[in-house]
Amino acid sequence: HVKVVEVGPRDGLQNEKAVIPTATKVQLINRLAAEAHMSHVEATAFVSPKWVPQMADNAAVLRDITRVPGVTYSVLTPNAKGLAGALAASVGEVAIFGAASEAFSRTNINCSIAESLARFEDVMRVAKQHNVPVRGYVSCVVGCPYEGPVAPSKVAEVAAKLRDMGCHEISLGDTIGVGTPGE
């Protein structure tokens, strides 16, 4: 089963230098749902605005979108503080993200793979208490910009830990785009 989760409003915009107005983000999300008929849109992230200023308007984005029936609007929540903000904004699904590469994990989220998984335990516990489903991302499933090729066994290990924590879905990301049919 292949599912497409549109992450453009979050991942596609988070590194833009100029701050994109909330109304523009809302229009993008609304059009992805209503016109492009995307069934799942990752709308924003509840992360520190110090590190990702583009996501500082996360609650306003969720408040202002026009929710299309049958469309899941999820958000990225890397920690308990992010989850608290997402819950206050009435989110329907959250996502956590880890990596199959130790170097990528340390560079991207400033901790080891094991430490990142430990951080997610609080997110999982609170999300479960609020009946909010959690999708788990595994980044660098084929290759890493710092380590090179990533062992499939490492990907399977991280995915299994996310599954065992209670993630209802695991998303495997070819973060740097090196996967080919021959891989």
Side-chain angles (χ1 to χ4, degrees):
H1 174 75
V2 174
K3 176 180 176 181
V4 175
V5 177
E6 174 57 63
V7 298
R10 195 263 316 153
D11 195 43
L13 301 180
Q14 71 183 10
N15 292 320
E16 292 295 319
K17 299 296 181 216
V19 174
I20 297 168
T22 302
T24 302
K25 294 175 189 176
V26 168
Q27 181 184 29
L28 172 62
I29 294 164
N30 288 344
R31 291 184 73 189
L32 286 167
E35 296 175 28
H37 304 288
M38 297 301 303
S39 62
H40 193 138
V41 179
E42 191 167 273
T44 189
F46 281 78
V47 294
S48 170
K50 173 184 173 187
W51 298 110
V52 189
Q54 197 67 259
M55 299 293 118
D57 60 352
N58 46 31
V61 167
L62 286 180
R63 179 193 67 225
D64 294 350
I65 59 175
T66 302
R67 294 176 189 259
V68 174
V71 175
T72 300
Y73 299 91
S74 62
V75 301
L76 194 69
T77 55
N79 53 41
K81 184 176 180 181
L83 178 60
L87 292 172
S90 301
V91 72
E93 179 178 292
V94 299
I96 55 177
F97 60 97
S101 156
E102 199 65 55
F104 189 85
S105 185
R106 290 193 181 281
T107 302
N108 194 42
I109 56 176
N110 204 30
C111 65
S112 69
I113 294 170
E115 290 166 334
S116 73
L117 293 169
R119 287 181 188 174
F120 299 151
E121 290 176 10
D122 284 341
V123 173
M124 295 301 300
R125 181 180 46 76
V126 175
K128 186 180 242 183
Q129 290 170 352
H130 288 86
N131 295 315
V132 172
V134 180
R135 186 176 70 255
Y137 281 115
V138 182
S139 299
C140 297
V141 300
V142 179
C144 170
Y146 313 108
E147 291 180 13
V150 174
S153 60
K154 190 63 180 176
V155 176
E157 178 185 325
V158 174
K161 288 180 180 177
L162 290 170
R163 180 203 61 219
D164 293 347
M165 280 184 189
C167 288
H168 78 98
E169 185 174 278
I170 308 297
S171 174
L172 303 177
D174 180 13
T175 309
I176 60 171
V178 295
T180 65
E183 292 286 325

